[in-house]
Amino acid sequence: GCGTLGLLLCAQSRCSITGIELNPSAHLAALANIRRNALEHRIHSICGDVRELNQLVPPGSYEICLSNPPYFSGGPVSQSHPTARCSDNCSPEELFQGAAWALKYGGDFFLVHKPEMLAHLCGCAVKAGLEPKRLRLVRHRENGPVTLILLSCRKGGKPGLIWEDRCLYSAEGRPTPYFKELYHIQE
């Protein structure tokens, strides 16, 4: 995308980020955002395909990989950004293979995805040598359906999964303590 996750991560820690974006216009937007925030020394953007990660970065280059991939298939295509929100350009299998390539042994892969894909994602993770370690179910409203999952996997990790359930808004529509923590809202 346009570098939003990298910018948010740099605001919270002293990390170094390498972003990979398939779409050339999104890559250019990421570069502009990096320059605008004077983070050229900490964030780099590569215009490339995650499916060809073995040609973009050396194996075991990273301690952490993070992906908030497009995870919708089919449906109407955006005229301005035809690959946005569309999973047809990179399967979960390819995504996990790329993360396994890029991670050091003991490194972590964090993924945001749809809850209905959980079983398939865990299967892809294990096949790629990434053990699911933490699963956070996120609901928009209390007692509502799970709307997204946050999955953490470790390269070379032993079996053992921590399961968490979080909600963004109360049944009355008020932000929950979890929401306030995420967005650094103090009362």
Side-chain angles (χ1 to χ4, degrees), residues 96-110:
F96 279 98
Q97 288 167 2
W101 170 268
L103 282 170
K104 296 176 180 179
Y105 187 83
D108 294 314
F109 178 45
F110 299 97

Side-chain angles (χ1 to χ4, degrees), residues 32-108:
N33 284 329
I34 292 165
R35 278 191 302 276
R36 187 175 299 117
N37 288 278
L39 289 168
E40 298 92 342
H41 61 290
R42 292 183 47 211
I43 304 178
H44 303 88
S45 184
I46 298 171
C47 189
D49 192 331
V50 170
R51 296 172 295 184
E52 298 170 355
L53 202 54
N54 61 347
Q55 298 172 28
L56 300 173
V57 300
S61 298
Y62 299 97
E63 295 175 23
I64 294 174
C65 289
L66 168 70
S67 182
N68 183 11
Y71 36 71
F72 297 100
S73 184
V77 175
S78 166
Q79 296 300 315
S80 59
H81 300 289
T83 59
R85 298 176 52 107
C86 182
S87 66
D88 300 337
N89 290 316
C90 184
S91 70
E93 292 85 356
E94 293 166 321
L95 188 59
F96 279 98
Q97 288 167 2
W101 170 268
L103 282 170
K104 296 176 180 179
Y105 187 83
D108 294 314

Side-chain angles (χ1 to χ4, degrees), residues 166-181:
R166 298 291 188 267
C167 184
L168 298 174
Y169 295 96
S170 69
E172 297 79 29
R174 289 189 296 275
T176 62
Y178 175 66
F179 178 94
K180 292 175 184 177
E181 177 188 338

Side-chain angles (χ1 to χ4, degrees), residues 2-12 17 30 33-34 37 39 43:
C2 62
T4 303
L5 286 177
L7 294 171
L8 291 171
L9 287 170
C10 280
Q12 295 299 312
I17 307 283
N33 284 329
I34 292 165
N37 288 278
L39 289 168
I43 304 178

Side-chain angles (χ1 to χ4, degrees), residues 97-129:
Q97 288 167 2
W101 170 268
L103 282 170
K104 296 176 180 179
Y105 187 83
D108 294 314
F109 178 45
F110 299 97
L111 177 68
V112 178
H113 220 288
K114 301 184 299 184
E116 57 268 26
M117 291 292 292
L118 178 60
H120 182 66
L121 295 170
C122 287
C124 292
V126 170
K127 186 176 178 184

